[in-house]
Amino acid sequence: TDVGSTGEEIEGTNGRVQNELFGSGVAIRGDTMAISSIWSNACGAATFGSNAGCVSIYTRSGGVWALQQKVYDTAPGGASSWENLGGALAFSSDADTLVVGSLGENTDESGANSIMWGSGGVFIYVRSGGVWSLQRKITGPGPNGRVQYDNFGGGVSMSGETIVFGATGRDYDEN
C-alpha cells in the first residue's frame, strides 16, 4: 500500500445525490470495500422512506474498484424512514462477512414491536458466491435493550468470530 499516493474517486452509484451522505461509513478489507449512504432513500431498484440508508459494496480487480452489490434492511419489517443504515461498518478477516450498524432502527429482530426512533440495530451480511445476503439482524438485549436514542450499533467491530457493538446513546445500566 502506497499511502502517499492519491487513488481513484468513487461516487455513489446514483451519481452525486444531495444529502445522501455517501461516505458516512467506510470499511475496507483486502480487495473488498463498503461505503454507506445513511440518508439514502433508494438502494439499487429498491426505494423506501427518507434516510433509510444503503451500503454499496465494491471489489477491486486489476487495481480498479467496481460495484459488486448494494445492501439495505431486508429483515422482516424492511427499511424504514430515518433508519440510517450504515453509520458503522466492519468486515471479517476474509471480507465475506460485513457488520452494519443502524442507529435509527426501530423494530425488533422479528420486524415487529416498533418503538420510537433511535433504539438501533446491527445487520450481519454474508457473501457467498459473490452475492451478499442478510444473515441476521440483532437489536439491543435485555429488558431495557430497546430504548429510544440508545443508538445500538453506533459502533461495530469484528475480530475472528467475535463481533462487538456499541450503543452510543445508552445512558443507564440493566438494573
Side-chain angles (χ1 to χ4, degrees), residues 14-171:
N14 295 330
R16 292 183 182 194
V17 178
Q18 183 177 12
N19 296 328
E20 207 176 52
L21 299 185
F22 182 74
S24 306
V26 295
I28 188 169
R29 178 76 60 186
D31 290 326
T32 305
M33 173 174 54
I35 304 175
S36 68
S37 303
I38 65 169
W39 282 8
S40 181
N41 302 333
C43 196
T47 57
F48 25 75
S50 299
N51 307 319
C54 178
V55 178
S56 301
I57 303 171
Y58 298 85
T59 55
R60 179 174 47 195
S61 178
V64 177
W65 291 98
L67 179 68
Q68 182 176 47
Q69 186 177 333
K70 289 184 168 195
V71 297
Y72 58 96
D73 178 358
T74 55
S80 60
S81 294
W82 294 101
E83 194 169 310
N84 301 140
L85 181 80
L89 305 169
F91 278 112
S92 61
S93 59
D94 64 2
D96 284 331
T97 301
L98 175 63
V99 181
V100 179
S102 179
L103 296 176
E105 176 58 38
N106 63 354
T107 61
D108 64 14
E109 293 173 28
S110 70
N113 303 311
S114 180
I115 63 169
M116 297 299 289
W117 182 87
S119 61
V122 172
F123 295 80
I124 301 172
Y125 296 90
V126 175
R127 176 171 50 187
S128 178
V131 176
W132 290 90
S133 56
L134 180 65
Q135 180 182 46
R136 185 169 180 202
K137 172 184 175 182
I138 301 171
T139 56
N144 296 320
R146 295 183 56 245
V147 176
Q148 184 176 16
Y149 304 124
D150 268 359
N151 297 333
F152 184 79
V156 298
S157 187
M158 186 170 189
S159 178
E161 296 294 315
T162 303
I163 300 172
V164 180
F165 318 118
T168 56
R170 190 170 190 143
D171 58 0

